[in-house]
Amino acid sequence: MTAIRSTGGRIPAAITHRRLLALSVTVALLLPGAALAQTAKEKELEARVAQLEQMVQQLVAQQQQTQAAVVDAQAQVSEVKTAQAQAPAAVPAGKQPIQATAINASANPGTTFTYGGFIKLDAMATDTSDGRIADGSAGRLFYLPSAIPVGDDTADGGDPYTDVHAQFSRFWFSADTVTEGGDKLKAYIEADMFGGGNNSFAGNETSTNTYAITLRQAYVSWNNWLAGQTWSNFQDTAALPEAVDFVGVTDGTIFVRQAQLRYTSGPWSFSVENPQTTVTSYLGASRFNSGDGVAPDFTGRWLTKGDWGHFTVAALLRQFKYGEETETGGAVSVSGRFNLGASDDIRYMVNAGSGIGRYMAFGLGTDTVLDANGELHALDGYGGFVAWRHAWSAKLRSNLMYSAAHFDNDKSLTGFGVTERAQSLHANLIYSPIPKLDVGAELMWGQRSLEDDREGDLKRLQTTVKYSF
């Protein structure tokens, strides 16, 4: 009888029904008298052969199924390994981008896009002692020290007046890329609606309250370099307190956004920024801007931070130019935040320098003044603020702020009608019923004083509803 053997997992030969039958017939012929017994044995053998053939077929089918499963599993493993190799590196929890790959076909490979902003409604009632702030002007929308009316002792601001607007609602868009070589690229643009109207029916409260878009920031960064418009390197935005007003501590705050080229390395950053000179004419007949500057404004900053808060020192070097006349100036700013446990912090800023006017308090003072011969002279100024923040609970917090600015005007050149100082006091309460939704109210008092000792006061109650996204 031929043996059944396995070669390479396959069965090359088997004892078939016909071969067994022929074998049984041969045995019957060779053994006379055993024909009947042999016939019974043949039937039994035939049944066993049929059973064996069925078992062999089952084994072959099982082997084929096993081989197909192995091939399929190997293909799945290969697909998983390929996907893992192509997938980006794991991102820490809470830092995941909106999407893992670029949604813009023209973008660099691996670019991710993010979008955000907030909707902010402001409603305020204002009372000024020496006349009303002009309707539609910036001073009606947020606290602006230079807009406080200053008249004589008989001036009367009349009854309080109310303004409601949503112009400081904001949106921003960012595109971030990390190249195969590890280079970090970022493009960022930000805007709000504080741009005024563009036709006779827009930008007023008569009908549509339509306002134009204002460019706030637009820059691109590559590793340590930044080019475009953003906050001045001379300004510490992280020290600003939380105010219901647009800025709050405007008087003593460095506040400038402008085009620049900046380099940052560790705690150090340096920039060259757009030059602009503000000028008070001889004896204060007028004030104006001069774009005649050639040399950019130079800034340098050093920063240190930790769980305790942060501390930073910045320096500014400027050249002023009007026509053929030039002058130089410089300033320093020290600021930071100091954490007092989990519920409180102190924020502060102190600024001083020659020709600091354009950078502080939204240009409350000018950088320079002209003398009778048309020569430029830098004006000295200083100011600052301090703010205390306290969290009453996870949803309720308040801020108490004081801010001031002072200018050492040469009255023989500026006259007595220019601003000598401004100060303000703010107290607010902000409630967040759910994350990203803020409802707040702020009481403020502000005062502007001239060199001739005239002064005007402002009192305001401002409320806001703000939703960030």
Side-chain angles (χ1 to χ4, degrees):
M1 180 181 293
T2 304
I4 300 176
R5 18 186 216 97
S6 175
T7 304
R10 301 177 58 187
I11 303 177
I15 300 176
T16 64
H17 178 270
R18 292 189 178 89
R19 294 182 64 185
L20 290 174
L21 183 59
L23 181 61
S24 64
V25 172
T26 302
V27 172
L29 293 175
L30 294 176
L31 299 174
L36 295 175
Q38 186 62 36
T39 300
K41 291 181 179 179
E42 286 179 0
K43 291 181 179 180
E44 181 182 355
L45 183 60
E46 182 177 355
R48 290 181 179 179
V49 169
Q51 184 179 8
L52 181 60
E53 286 183 338
Q54 184 177 6
M55 293 175 61
V56 169
Q57 291 174 356
Q58 291 176 351
L59 288 173
V60 172
Q62 290 177 358
Q63 185 183 37
Q64 291 174 345
Q65 291 176 356
T66 301
Q67 291 177 339
V70 170
V71 172
D72 184 60
Q74 291 176 343
Q76 292 180 4
V77 170
S78 178
E79 290 178 359
V80 171
K81 290 182 177 180
T82 301
Q84 290 176 342
Q86 295 176 348
V91 180
K95 301 292 185 179
Q96 288 83 357
I98 294 177
Q99 80 290 325
T101 58
I103 59 176
N104 185 346
S106 63
N108 285 324
T111 298
T112 57
F113 299 91
T114 51
Y115 175 86
F118 57 76
I119 304 299
K120 188 174 190 290
L121 174 70
D122 291 306
M124 62 200 74
T126 305
D127 183 15
T128 45
S129 62
D130 291 62
R132 300 167 70 92
I133 301 174
D135 188 22
S137 65
R140 295 285 289 259
L141 307 179
F142 66 99
Y143 174 62
L144 187 62
S146 60
I148 299 176
V150 177
D152 55 35
D153 295 337
T154 61
D156 184 7
D159 295 330
Y161 39 100
T162 300
D163 295 280
V164 182
H165 68 91
Q167 293 187 50
F168 293 125
S169 299
R170 184 182 308 172
F171 61 90
W172 56 263
F173 184 82
S174 177
D176 298 86
T177 305
V178 178
T179 67
E180 294 181 357
D183 293 318
K184 296 181 179 180
L185 296 171
K186 179 185 182 69
Y188 182 86
I189 189 167
E190 180 183 86
D192 62 18
M193 268 50 73
F194 182 50
N198 52 15
N199 58 61
S200 59
F201 296 101
N204 57 63
E205 301 173 38
T206 304
S207 52
T208 63
N209 288 271
T210 304
Y211 298 94
I213 292 177
T214 300
L215 177 67
R216 289 172 53 86
Q217 301 186 69
Y219 65 83
V220 59
S221 63
W222 172 54
N223 294 331
N224 296 343
W225 292 93
L226 179 147
Q229 176 170 306
T230 187
W231 299 106
S232 171
N233 189 46
F234 190 58
Q235 177 181 351
D236 179 15
T237 56
L240 292 176
E242 185 179 24
V244 171
D245 181 74
F246 177 56
V247 180
V249 289
T250 310
D251 318 77
T253 299
I254 300 297
F255 196 97
V256 171
R257 290 191 305 266
Q258 60 191 4
Q260 61 192 271
L261 178 65
R262 183 188 301 182
Y263 177 78
T264 302
S265 179
W268 294 95
S269 57
F270 304 90
S271 69
V272 289
E273 305 187 9
N274 178 62
Q276 182 81 341
T277 301
T278 58
V279 185
T280 295
S281 60
Y282 180 57
L283 295 182
S286 64
R287 58 180 293 172
F288 56 91
N289 293 339
S290 169
D292 296 339
V294 176
D297 292 354
F298 293 90
T299 78
R301 175 177 293 279
W302 177 79
L303 168 69
T304 182
K305 57 184 177 181
D307 294 338
W308 51 270
H310 81 273
F311 173 80
T312 182
V313 179
L316 171 68
L317 180 63
R318 308 180 63 193
Q319 181 192 60
F320 312 110
K321 193 172 190 298
Y322 174 59
E324 299 299 323
E325 295 297 322
T326 61
E327 174 69 299
T328 58
V332 295
S333 178
V334 177
S335 58
R337 184 188 70 208
F338 186 72
N339 298 325
L340 303 172
S343 301
D344 299 80
D345 65 57
I346 299 294
R347 307 183 190 203
Y348 59 91
M349 180 180 291
V350 178
N351 321 294
S354 178
I356 197 174
R358 180 171 74 88
Y359 278 81
M360 189 168 64
F362 282 91
L364 177 61
T366 61
D367 302 323
T368 62
V369 60
L370 289 173
D371 63 19
N373 298 319
E375 296 180 354
L376 280 178
H377 300 269
L379 293 173
D380 296 336
Y382 54 90
F385 69 79
V386 61
W388 169 54
R389 178 184 183 273
H390 176 71
W392 302 98
S393 68
K395 296 183 178 181
L396 185 66
R397 57 202 181 275
S398 59
N399 298 266
L400 181 62
M401 304 165 269
Y402 175 75
S403 181
H406 190 280
F407 296 93
D408 291 332
N409 300 300
D410 184 346
K411 292 182 285 292
S412 65
L413 301 179
T414 63
F416 290 85
V418 296
T419 299
E420 179 188 16
R421 65 184 182 275
Q423 57 183 333
S424 65
L425 184 65
H426 306 251
N428 63 41
L429 193 63
I430 302 173
Y431 177 65
S432 300
I434 60 175
K436 304 295 185 179
L437 178 63
D438 299 330
V439 180
E442 184 168 297
L443 283 170
M444 69 181 75
W445 168 84
Q447 183 184 73
R448 182 167 74 99
S449 303
L450 306 184
E451 287 288 356
D452 59 8
D453 294 330
R454 289 181 297 164
E455 57 188 29
D457 296 340
L458 173 147
K459 293 185 285 292
R460 176 174 286 170
L461 170 62
Q462 180 170 347
T463 60
T464 192
V465 176
K466 177 183 175 183
Y467 177 68
S468 302
F469 56 87

